[in-house]
Amino acid sequence: MTSASASASTSAPPGGPHTLRTVFPVLALCWLAVFFDGMDVNIYGAVMPHMLDDAGLGLTPAGAGTIGSWTTFGMLIGALAAGNVTDWLGRRPMLVASVVLFSVGSGLCALAGDVTLFGAGRFVAGLGLGGLMPLCLAMVLEFAPPRRAALMTGLLMTSYHAGGMAATGLGLTLAPAAGWRWVFWAGVLPAVIAVPMLLKLLPESPGVLLARGERERADAVADRYGLTRPTPVEAPRAGARGRIDAIRALLRPESRWATPLLWLASFCGLLLVYGVSTWLPQMMRASGYGLNSSVSFLMVINAGGIVGMLIAGRTADRFGAVRVSAIWFVLTAAGALLLKAQLPLGVTYVVVAVTGVWLFSAQVMVYAATGTVYRDSERAAGLGLVTGVGRTGAVVGPWLVGVLASNGNQSWGFTTFALAGLVGAAAISLVPLALRLGRGADRKAPAPAPVGLAQD
């Protein structure tokens, strides 16, 4: 995320009204990029049962969990690195670099002859995956109509789950017929398909262009997409000092307590997302379900995720992202506990699908809530840190369930997911109270948009 930002002027946009139609080109391109992101993240979970059965590779349950954490550790580094270089290179070049990186990583996994090289490939893929998501979120939020921000966030994230379903389809069809390596070869396709389209069609952020001193280009992009022309609200310092100042702004009295609560909610949300994406097929297989059924659960939960994004986005625009996120976290916890029980196959499919409706969109609504907590000048840095700190949950989730699996305690993974859901619900629920307390400590600060309340 760029540390420089811009606020919209009050005049009407010269390029026309800011509508859903004007954001569509940006949304469509970012949707494609995040589709491949979701495919790459879910490929590992979709083929893990086949990899564990491959004696030549030498992968163990504990090693599988560690490699899952290498991926998410790479994502943490990628998210933080992208935030530091976006100011210099722009969001569009960084998006392209992210896609190239995770495509190269997938190619390394396909070529890997041992666990070490395979883990290195997943780490490289993680570097690209980590930078892509926050960049796409920031682009869509910048170009979206303000009153439809949560809906646009939800629509964007349907692509992640469509990609997850594609990965599961590859795991069910290509892996048994041709081997798990060919599934990772499919992960190289983003560099061929998405990169040329992003380079040719995706606009640069007007806010980033203005922060780099390119006023004419910034105004031209804003006019073309019906945005209000950006106006600088602050001149951030360059280098490390500028980054420190950006973090300090998030910890000013008004948002001092809300910021760590958002970080905790994001930690829990991403622990759930990446823990489930990595381990659900193997956990269900260990619970007694067949190999094909176990992999199919990953497709079903992602299908539920698509439905959940559409429901959550519209519901949050009406009732507030914080309220929706909290309820969704609680329902996720209930679904995780139900999955721990030995249920008939048909009932289990229903529970998995319904849990997917809540699980993934609970985390996305944390991102949507972040956009209402911070001022315009702080929003990009705030979203970057909520995403980056949350990545530690993405590191912990696959590793922790891997440790449990190596000791024969896969069922405790469901309990871990339920606890994460309850903690996430508590953290996000306290954000409105934290903001009220902060405003009491800093009465001179302008109040941000209400959080957790209905948005008109």
Side-chain angles (χ1 to χ4, degrees):
M1 301 297 103
T2 178
S3 58
S5 56
S7 65
S9 65
T10 56
S11 60
H18 189 188
T19 65
L20 296 181
R21 185 176 298 177
T22 60
V23 75
F24 179 77
V26 174
L27 177 62
L29 289 165
C30 288
W31 195 98
L32 178 65
V34 176
F35 170 87
F36 286 122
D37 179 302
M39 190 177 84
D40 194 283
V41 169
N42 285 274
I43 276 177
Y44 184 42
V47 301
M48 185 190 294
H50 297 280
M51 295 177 65
L52 289 170
D53 290 342
D54 184 350
L57 184 65
L59 185 67
T60 64
T66 300
I67 288 174
S69 292
W70 287 359
T71 310
T72 50
F73 182 63
M75 294 172 76
L76 172 61
I77 295 175
L80 296 176
N84 281 308
V85 299
T86 297
D87 290 339
W88 307 330
L89 301 179
R91 285 180 182 160
R92 181 174 61 181
M94 287 306 302
L95 270 174
V96 170
S98 296
V99 174
V100 170
L101 268 176
F102 69 71
S103 298
V104 170
S106 190
L108 288 175
C109 290
L111 292 169
D114 55 43
V115 171
T116 301
L117 184 56
F118 181 85
R122 292 306 291 162
F123 176 78
V124 171
L127 292 175
L129 295 168
L132 186 140
M133 186 70 75
L135 288 168
C136 285
L137 283 166
M139 287 289 286
V140 169
L141 286 173
E142 182 173 6
F143 282 79
R147 294 185 180 182
R148 292 293 179 263
L151 175 61
M152 293 299 100
T153 302
L155 287 174
L156 172 66
M157 293 306 297
T158 61
S159 60
Y160 176 91
H161 303 291
M165 293 177 69
T168 308
L170 291 171
L172 286 170
T173 57
L174 191 57
W180 60 266
R181 295 180 187 278
W182 280 100
V183 181
F184 284 99
W185 279 122
V188 180
L189 290 176
V192 179
I193 297 173
V195 167
M197 297 179 67
L198 291 171
L199 286 173
K200 183 176 181 179
L201 301 174
L202 185 68
E204 183 54 272
S205 156
V208 170
L209 290 171
L210 181 63
R212 291 162 55 182
E214 300 181 51
R215 158 63 72 182
E216 291 186 3
R217 286 188 62 197
D219 289 347
V221 173
D223 293 350
R224 189 181 313 133
Y225 289 88
L227 308 176
T228 51
R229 290 181 173 182
T231 13
V233 292
E234 62 179 40
R237 299 182 184 182
R241 184 56 183 269
R243 294 294 167 193
I244 294 172
D245 289 345
I247 295 172
R248 284 177 177 171
L250 305 180
L251 298 175
R252 59 187 167 78
E254 184 181 349
S255 55
R256 178 178 298 161
W257 303 112
T259 291
L261 288 170
L262 288 169
W263 292 350
L264 178 58
S266 184
F267 173 91
C268 293
L270 287 174
L271 185 153
L272 283 163
V273 168
Y274 289 96
V276 169
S277 296
T278 302
W279 279 103
L280 181 63
Q282 186 60 25
M283 288 169 64
M284 301 305 286
R285 189 184 186 190
S287 297
Y289 298 96
L291 176 58
N292 284 342
S293 295
S294 297
V295 176
S296 296
F297 288 130
L298 193 59
M299 178 174 286
V300 171
I301 202 167
N302 276 290
I306 292 176
V307 175
M309 293 300 170
L310 299 174
I311 295 173
R314 295 188 66 86
T315 307
D317 279 335
R318 182 175 180 183
F319 297 104
V322 164
R323 185 175 296 167
V324 170
S325 181
I327 295 172
W328 267 223
F329 269 124
V330 171
L331 292 172
T332 297
L337 290 177
L338 283 174
L339 289 177
K340 188 176 181 179
Q342 295 285 331
L343 301 172
L345 181 61
V347 176
T348 302
Y349 272 119
V350 173
V351 173
V352 169
V354 173
T355 301
V357 171
W358 319 122
L359 187 154
F360 300 102
S361 50
Q363 168 63 19
V364 173
M365 290 304 104
V366 174
Y367 296 147
T370 300
T372 68
V373 168
Y374 299 115
R375 301 166 177 169
D376 289 346
S377 60
E378 301 161 358
R379 191 169 294 126
L383 184 58
L385 275 173
V386 165
T387 306
V389 174
R391 293 293 182 195
T392 58
V395 174
V396 170
W399 168 81
L400 180 58
V401 180
V403 171
L404 294 172
S406 67
N407 293 318
N409 295 318
Q410 288 96 334
S411 63
W412 280 96
F414 294 115
T415 303
T416 301
F417 296 149
L419 289 174
L422 294 176
V423 173
I428 197 69
S429 295
L430 290 172
V431 168
L433 175 61
L435 286 173
R436 287 196 293 270
L437 292 175
R439 286 197 290 270
D442 186 18
R443 295 187 182 277
K444 294 183 180 180
V451 178
L453 304 177
Q455 307 291 314
D456 56 17

